[in-house]
Amino acid sequence: KQRYESIITYQLPEMNVFFNMSAWKEDYWDSSSEVGANLNLNKSFNNISVSLNAGYSRLQGMENDYNTGISLSVPFSVFDKSQYSFSGINYDRRNGTNFNTGVSGSINSRLSYNASISQSRNTTGSAVSASYLFDEVQTSASYSQMGSSSSSTFQVGGSIIGLPDAGILFTPVKNDEIAVVQMEDMPGVRFNGSMPGDKKGRAVIPLTAYNNNTITVNADNLPQSVELTENAINVTPTENAIIYKKVKYRKINTYIVK
């Protein structure tokens, strides 16, 4: 029927502290009401993140419900690739104590993974998932088990883009606003850390609507015989816009005389 809510947020960037507190009341059509409050505190210690949370709610005529928990995220590196381990323990009045722990990270720029296990009052669960980014689509697979039941999924996602000047592209990028940037005859070129361009030098870049977006060429991957006449493109897309831009360059010949 109606809801009243008050939220307080406080940040201390110099101390890497974030605090959020909210209190609310809901009135229902059957004349009953419910009140509650939530508290969350996050603190980072040299990239190690600790989060504390607590909640309380009471439905008219029912017992009080409350929960509390703490979670920890610790980064580490394997073969110069960033990984994360995470653990958490939570307690609520209805379900008791729940513990979970796991790891996630990237094997390379295309392959990422996540694995976790959990333990509640009467049930042990586990889950593992992985995703791989192809040039044209993104694929993901997952498997989870909770007690005696299990499930698995496989997904394929991406976008098909057709433009008069650029032709048809298949891309794993899924965004409401995008730019198709082309550097003709430069296969593998990257923009803003994007996936490598296709054999025609086309790449798809996600954009933010009604904001100035700067698209730059990753010049490190270009041949030495290429000289950019413009290194940055600025665009301000409207909602659901698809923008096509060409990057201008010229080829130069370098001669060394001894």
Side-chain angles (χ1 to χ4, degrees):
K1 183 179 179 180
Q2 56 189 8
R3 178 185 175 93
Y4 307 93
E5 186 171 14
S6 177
I7 301 174
I8 298 174
T9 299
Y10 189 66
Q11 298 184 61
L12 291 171
E14 66 278 3
M15 298 179 62
N16 295 318
V17 171
F18 176 82
F19 173 80
N20 179 274
M21 182 174 67
S22 64
W24 49 269
K25 179 184 178 183
E26 288 188 345
D27 296 324
Y28 301 112
W29 290 103
D30 61 0
S31 298
S32 64
S33 63
E34 186 176 11
V35 296
N38 295 290
L39 176 70
N40 183 267
L41 177 65
N42 289 287
K43 167 70 176 174
S44 296
F45 304 90
N46 296 326
N47 295 326
I48 298 175
S49 178
V50 180
S51 178
L52 301 172
N53 63 80
Y56 166 83
S57 64
R58 178 173 60 84
L59 181 64
Q60 185 176 341
M62 303 292 288
E63 290 187 58
N64 296 342
D65 279 329
Y66 49 87
N67 62 81
T68 185
I70 181 172
S71 60
L72 177 71
S73 176
V74 180
F76 63 98
S77 178
V78 177
F79 300 116
D80 294 326
K81 300 295 183 182
S82 296
Q83 320 291 325
Y84 290 89
S85 66
F86 54 89
S87 299
I89 184 168
N90 295 276
Y91 174 82
D92 70 69
R93 186 188 66 84
R94 294 176 180 271
N95 301 310
T97 302
N98 175 276
F99 174 77
N100 69 87
T101 186
V103 293
S104 64
S106 300
I107 304 300
N108 51 45
S109 60
R110 294 177 180 267
L111 178 61
S112 60
Y113 71 94
N114 186 296
S116 64
I117 58 173
S118 62
Q119 176 68 56
S120 60
R121 180 182 295 172
N122 299 312
T123 308
T124 299
S126 60
V128 61
S129 63
S131 65
Y132 189 84
L133 199 62
F134 290 92
D135 289 342
E136 296 82 10
V137 295
Q138 181 170 10
T139 61
S140 62
S142 65
Y143 174 81
S144 62
Q145 184 171 0
M146 184 64 67
S148 59
S149 62
S150 62
S151 65
S152 59
T153 63
F154 179 78
Q155 296 179 327
V156 178
S159 304
I160 302 175
I161 303 169
L163 292 173
D165 295 326
I168 297 176
L169 297 87
F170 295 84
T171 174
V173 176
K174 294 183 289 184
N175 202 63
D176 291 334
E177 297 80 32
I178 58 173
V180 177
V181 187
Q182 184 172 15
M183 197 168 174
E184 286 186 310
D185 301 321
M186 285 294 154
V189 63
R190 293 176 183 263
F191 306 90
N192 291 15
S194 68
M195 293 290 293
D198 62 13
K199 62 183 180 181
K200 294 183 179 180
R202 304 173 300 179
V204 179
I205 315 298
L207 303 175
T208 303
Y210 304 109
N211 283 271
N212 181 57
N213 296 253
T214 301
I215 302 170
T216 57
V217 181
N218 293 24
D220 294 341
N221 297 325
L222 296 179
Q224 293 183 351
S225 60
V226 170
E227 182 180 86
L228 296 170
T229 56
E230 56 178 352
N231 185 47
I233 299 172
N234 293 294
V235 295
T236 304
T238 56
E239 188 175 2
N240 298 319
I242 300 177
I243 296 174
Y244 173 70
K245 291 289 183 180
K246 271 189 177 182
V247 176
K248 299 177 181 179
Y249 71 96
R250 59 172 174 257
K251 290 189 175 182
I252 59 174
N253 295 317
T254 303
Y255 300 95
I256 300 175
V257 179
K258 295 184 179 180

